[in-house]
Amino acid sequence: MTANLRALQNASFTTTNVVPPESHSLTKKSRRIGVYSVMLFTDALAVFIGFLISNLLLLDQPFASPGLKLGILSIPIFLAIALNNKAYGRRALYRSARATVRSITSLFATLALILFVLFGLSILKQHHPSFVAFGFLISSALIAGGRYACHMFAKRMLGENPVSELVIVDNVPHGPIADQAVVYANEIGLRPDVSDPAMLDRLGNLFRSIDRVIVACPSDRHLDWTLVLRSTGVTGEVHRHYRSAPVAKSSETQMHASRVKPLTRTQLWLKRAMDLILVSLAILFLAPLMILTAIAIKIESPGPVLFKQKRLGHGNRLFHIYKFRSMRDDLCDFNGDRSTDRDDDRITRVGRFIRATSIDELPQLFNVFAGTMSLVGPRPHALGSKADSKLFWEIDRNYWLRHATVPGLTGLAQVRGFRGATMTKADLENRLASDLEYIQRWSIGFDLLILTRTFGVIIHRNGF
């Protein structure tokens, strides 16, 4: 196993050779994101034009100040409320009436909030309610028309099924499969091997552009495929002894199906947006400290400033994690076979200080910026990491479920004090329990709470 991990660390990044038929053009997921973007734009445009028409009706000047200011102010608030109100999403593509009602309700809440704030600040003028009323009525009509047009556009771009589905047939008989990408696991060497990080990376890359995976397999591989799908974070079903692989959304009613519910696309977008805003500010603020650290490392010992290592991240896909080098270059452990101890002779003097203060982790801000990591999430571990002389996933197969979300610079386990070397089975179990709890409880507010608490554990007794 150790030899395999070392070979994996030295291997170059490759994606799976298994490509669903539609991936040679725009994937269905990409087209769906395009439709969402059009829907967001038409809603925002409807609000803006609604207030311009309100200006025209009340003042005979479409670009007069009252309506123009209210329109510009309303758009970002409206979009934020509409996103939270689930006015955009897969159901909005085909259930246009319900999504339209949610969008109009969000606009009403936006304008009510604006009037309340203006009144509270004692700057509400006599003409404001009239502009808001006309703007709401006209914008609502335009939103309804725009949503109908988006509904027709979605059908043209995506067909009758808005999701991209992949059927994996793993050595079981099946009936005809229509309108879905199909791969035969035996023919291309796919297997649900949760002890092989290279295979998990291959499957993760295969599922990258897929919304939903349906696996038909023998009962002895049911649990393995279920774990693979859950850890990859893709919605899916695993069928035992299923004689006819499902071919439509009605398959959700089939017996013996294991359903997987990862974070929604909207939740991932919100998390990514928060990361980009905060990490951009953090990089600017911490740039001088990172430059000084790089100089100190270079002066003390020869070798690169940064330590680079392959780790498994979101969807079980491999990525390079970056740290400031804290060990002698000739003694760096690229596989993570040996846990760091308190008196580790591999660590330099500068390295000991930056590890104790968590400065060595700062280059991971660029991982966050690139999207391979998040500010908050389960910490990604070295592939060779062990506890009680066992690889982490050998202790608990649920270890892979940590990869159903984006790995983090900090996490719930870290703020609870579970950081540093993982020497015993209990060390791993404590971290894993916190990581899985984080995935279950995720919200923007929870991320911000963990970030705030992180400042209290930057310097920690286990930081060596």
Side-chain angles (χ1 to χ4, degrees):
M1 177 61 72
T2 300
N4 291 339
L5 291 175
R6 284 176 178 158
L8 182 60
Q9 288 286 3
N10 295 326
S12 58
F13 281 96
T14 56
T15 58
T16 177
N17 293 325
V18 185
V19 183
E22 69 174 2
S23 65
H24 295 295
S25 57
L26 279 177
T27 64
K28 187 170 283 190
K29 182 181 288 188
S30 300
R31 283 178 275 156
R32 193 172 65 247
I33 291 172
V35 175
Y36 291 151
S37 300
V38 171
M39 195 177 294
L40 280 163
F41 177 76
T42 55
D43 276 3
L45 188 63
V47 173
F48 186 67
I49 292 177
F51 278 97
L52 294 187
I53 295 176
S54 179
N55 267 343
L56 186 64
L57 293 175
L58 295 175
L59 298 177
D60 294 327
Q61 297 179 15
F63 295 100
S65 177
L68 186 64
K69 288 182 178 179
L70 285 171
I72 294 174
L73 177 63
S74 298
I75 290 173
I77 303 174
F78 160 67
L79 292 178
I81 294 176
L83 281 168
N84 187 65
N85 200 27
K86 298 181 180 179
Y88 309 96
R90 294 179 193 173
R91 292 183 179 180
L93 299 176
Y94 288 83
R95 298 180 182 178
S96 58
R98 178 179 295 183
T100 301
V101 170
R102 288 182 174 179
S103 189
I104 292 173
T105 302
S106 300
L107 178 61
F108 180 82
T110 298
L111 299 180
L113 177 63
I114 289 175
L115 286 177
F116 178 77
V117 171
L118 292 177
F119 177 78
L121 296 176
S122 299
I123 55 176
L124 181 67
K125 296 182 180 179
Q126 187 175 1
H127 60 269
H128 280 152
S130 299
F131 278 99
V132 167
F134 273 91
F136 171 73
L137 293 174
I138 298 168
S139 296
S140 296
L142 293 174
I143 286 173
R147 283 302 181 106
Y148 179 77
C150 287
H151 170 68
M152 302 304 294
F153 179 61
K155 280 199 168 184
R156 181 175 179 180
M157 291 293 293
L158 302 170
E160 293 299 323
N161 187 356
V163 301
S164 175
E165 296 182 324
L166 174 68
V167 176
I168 298 177
V169 179
D170 184 7
N171 200 32
V172 293
H174 65 89
I177 303 172
D179 301 325
Q180 289 168 303
V182 184
V183 296
Y184 297 90
N186 285 351
E187 294 180 5
I188 56 176
L190 284 182
R191 61 187 186 278
D193 189 349
V194 293
S195 65
D196 184 356
M199 179 58 67
L200 293 175
D201 173 60
R202 187 181 178 198
L203 288 166
N205 279 293
L206 173 62
F207 300 156
R208 184 187 290 272
S209 61
I210 301 297
D211 298 306
R212 184 166 168 264
V213 177
I214 302 140
V215 180
C217 68
S219 59
D220 61 339
R221 287 199 284 275
H222 177 269
L223 292 178
D224 288 339
W225 275 115
T226 299
L227 182 57
V228 166
L229 294 190
R230 291 178 65 194
S231 63
T232 306
V234 64
T235 299
E237 300 177 7
V238 182
H239 297 260
R240 292 178 287 193
H241 290 305
Y242 194 61
R243 294 284 173 176
S244 176
V247 297
K249 287 185 284 186
S250 61
S251 64
E252 291 180 357
T253 62
Q254 299 289 346
M255 296 178 64
H256 306 303
S258 299
R259 293 171 180 80
V260 182
K261 297 288 185 181
L263 291 182
T264 66
R265 184 64 49 185
T266 300
Q267 289 173 325
L268 290 173
W269 284 348
L270 289 172
K271 185 174 178 64
R272 179 65 179 148
M274 184 190 76
D275 282 342
L276 285 174
I277 293 170
L278 296 181
V279 80
S280 299
L281 296 174
I283 289 173
L284 289 174
F285 179 75
L286 294 170
L289 176 59
M290 288 191 279
I291 292 172
L292 290 174
T293 303
I295 294 172
I297 292 171
K298 201 67 178 176
I299 289 175
E300 183 181 16
S301 63
V305 168
L306 294 180
F307 172 74
K308 182 174 71 172
Q309 188 179 63
K310 286 182 182 179
R311 300 193 179 185
L312 279 178
H314 186 210
N316 287 328
R317 290 183 287 271
L318 286 166
F319 74 101
H320 278 125
I321 192 172
Y322 295 96
K323 293 186 177 187
F324 280 124
R325 180 173 58 84
S326 59
M327 297 183 179
R328 289 169 47 191
D329 185 47
D330 57 330
L331 296 178
C332 284
D333 183 4
F334 291 98
N335 199 45
D337 293 322
R338 173 184 168 187
S339 294
T340 309
D341 54 54
R342 193 172 299 277
D343 299 316
D344 202 311
D345 57 359
R346 298 172 296 172
I347 302 176
T348 63
R349 287 175 298 175
V350 172
R352 198 166 299 281
F353 174 77
I354 63 176
R355 292 174 75 98
T357 56
S358 301
I359 293 174
D360 64 320
E361 309 285 358
L362 290 182
Q364 288 160 47
L365 292 172
F366 295 99
N367 281 114
V368 177
F369 192 80
T372 54
M373 290 181 65
S374 175
L375 286 173
V376 182
R379 286 291 297 160
H381 297 141
L383 296 176
S385 296
K386 296 180 180 180
D388 284 340
S389 301
K390 291 183 178 180
L391 294 166
F392 288 171
W393 57 84
E394 293 175 342
I395 294 175
D396 192 332
R397 283 162 52 92
N398 288 328
Y399 171 80
W400 298 114
L401 299 181
R402 306 165 73 255
H403 301 146
T405 190
V406 187
L409 186 60
T410 185
L412 182 60
Q414 283 64 46
V415 300
R416 285 177 171 174
F418 305 130
R419 56 171 294 189
T422 307
M423 306 300 294
T424 67
K425 178 182 177 181
D427 291 334
L428 174 65
E429 290 174 340
N430 287 332
R431 296 185 192 203
L432 179 58
S434 294
D435 291 338
L436 298 183
E437 180 185 341
Y438 166 77
I439 295 173
Q440 293 296 318
R441 293 177 57 188
W442 182 86
S443 69
I444 288 291
F446 197 36
D447 271 8
L448 292 174
L449 175 63
I450 292 173
L451 282 173
T452 302
R453 291 178 59 187
T454 296
F455 290 101
V457 295
I458 288 177
I459 299 177
H460 192 271
R461 60 184 176 83
N462 290 333
F464 51 80

